Structure formats: C-alpha cells, structure tokens
Amino acid sequence: MKVAVEGCCHGELDKIYESIQFLEKKDNVKVDLLLCCGDFQAVRNEADMICMAVPIKYRQMQTFYKYYSGEKKASVLTIFIGGNHEASNHLQELPYGGWVAPNIYYLGYAGVVKYRGVRIGGLSGIFKPHDYRKGHFEYPPYNQQTMRSAYHVRNIEVFKLKQIKQHMDIFLSHDWPRGIYHYGN
C-alpha cells in the first residue's frame, strides 16, 4: 500500500490532490491513502471561517468547501486529525470522528481506524498544560479564548487511547514528539 503524508494542509486540498496525481503519473504508482497531520482547515462556509483561530490575513476559504458540497470528490481516501488552525465549530460537531466529505475522514479528538489491515490512530490538537486536565467546555459562539482552547489536547483523549491494547501501525499527532529533532537529517 502506498501512503502519502501531508503535514499542515491549510485547506489546500486541490493543490495536494494535484501533487499526488502528478507524482502518481511521474513515478507510475497509485497512492492508496493520504494522511494529514493537522491544520486541515475543513472550512465549509463563512461562519466556519469566523471560528478559525488564525490571523485575519490567513482567513481564506481555500478549497475544502468544494469537497464538502460535492462539487469535487477526493481522488484518494484522506484521513486527518485536527491541529491548531481549524474551524473549531465544524470539528467539534464530530468529537468521535466521522466523514466530513466523500472520501475524507476525520479521526475526532482521538481515534483509531483500520484500513486494509493497517491500524491508524491519531490525537487532534496541541498540548497546552492549562487546559489538559479540563473537559471540553467550549461551545459556539466562541470568544477569542475558547476558539483556541477548543483544539487543546485533553487528558481524557489520551486516557482513551491508552486503553487500546492492540498495536498501532501509524499514529498521527499535530505536535511534534518530544526530542524528534534529534533524529533524521
């Protein structure tokens, strides 16, 4: 199975799928799965954009809405987690994950799926110690604080993942694992 991995998506689905198609053609391969590691920006409309904690100059519709509306369909199965630049209202509607558009699946606050025998887990958001031990208390309309705290990792999500006894083949997080910069080139 060929898996493509995207860091921060920032709603640029057209560009990402075009890049995948280019590489498939160039290298004569077929990508079976796309994994996105946060900042997906599943913005459906103007109301979603208002709930996105980004500087105003970055509040742009991008292309996710085309996939949400059915105007386009993702060319490859896409699984993603949330980051710290998300439409908090949209992803909060799916705390346990779910389909956000045809062929595009959100893992929720914390989730695991199995695709073609590969177990894929993920934890959405970023770690902030002052919110870690709180429950999810945010709800629309958001203020500047809750718009951001909505995507902070909570200990209940980590606890749920720790209950899983079977191995995971792939795990997605938006935060970098501690010390990762000591590895790679």
Side-chain angles (χ1 to χ4, degrees):
M1 178 167 55
K2 299 285 184 195
V3 179
V5 179
E6 175 74 25
C8 297
C9 179
H10 293 291
E12 298 277 5
L13 293 179
D14 283 354
K15 288 181 183 177
I16 292 167
Y17 295 134
E18 287 167 11
S19 295
I20 288 172
Q21 290 170 344
F22 171 79
L23 291 172
E24 285 178 329
K25 195 176 243 183
K26 178 180 158 281
D27 297 338
N28 195 31
V29 296
K30 175 69 178 129
V31 173
D32 302 295
L33 177 65
L34 169 63
L35 301 176
C36 297
C37 300
D39 287 358
F40 189 79
Q41 293 183 359
V43 176
R44 304 167 291 187
N45 51 45
E46 294 285 332
D48 285 353
M49 216 166 7
I50 293 169
C51 295
M52 198 165 56
V54 296
I56 292 173
K57 67 181 179 178
Y58 295 117
R59 282 192 188 158
Q60 298 173 5
M61 281 297 287
Q62 301 303 352
T63 57
F64 170 78
Y65 74 92
K66 295 176 185 178
Y67 298 85
Y68 177 77
S69 70
E71 179 182 331
K72 290 187 170 189
K73 183 179 179 193
S75 57
V76 60
L77 175 62
T78 302
I79 298 173
F80 76 97
I81 58 167
N84 60 316
H85 296 129
E86 304 292 355
S88 297
N89 61 324
H90 184 192
L91 298 187
Q92 208 171 23
E93 293 172 10
L94 296 165
Y96 304 108
W99 297 100
V100 296
N103 227 20
I104 303 175
Y105 189 83
Y106 170 53
L107 280 175
Y109 294 145
V112 178
V113 294
K114 192 171 193 176
Y115 179 68
R116 292 190 183 173
V118 177
R119 286 176 53 88
I120 303 162
L123 179 65
S124 290
I126 61 171
F127 177 75
K128 292 290 184 182
H130 57 273
D131 286 324
Y132 184 70
R133 297 202 187 279
K134 297 176 183 175
H136 291 280
F137 60 88
E138 303 86 358
Y139 58 89
Y142 301 101
N143 60 38
Q144 288 301 308
Q145 180 185 350
T146 59
M147 187 185 309
R148 285 167 176 74
S149 65
Y151 56 70
H152 292 164
V153 172
R154 307 303 162 90
N155 66 338
I156 187 67
E157 309 309 337
V158 173
F159 176 80
K160 285 190 250 182
L161 288 170
K162 286 173 128 181
Q163 303 315 298
I164 297 169
K165 301 301 179 205
Q166 297 171 329
H167 81 282
M168 277 189 243
D169 300 297
I170 299 171
F171 190 81
L172 307 175
S173 71
H174 189 61
D175 278 333
W176 288 24
R178 186 180 316 154
I180 193 71
Y181 49 82
H182 294 296
Y183 303 94
N185 53 13

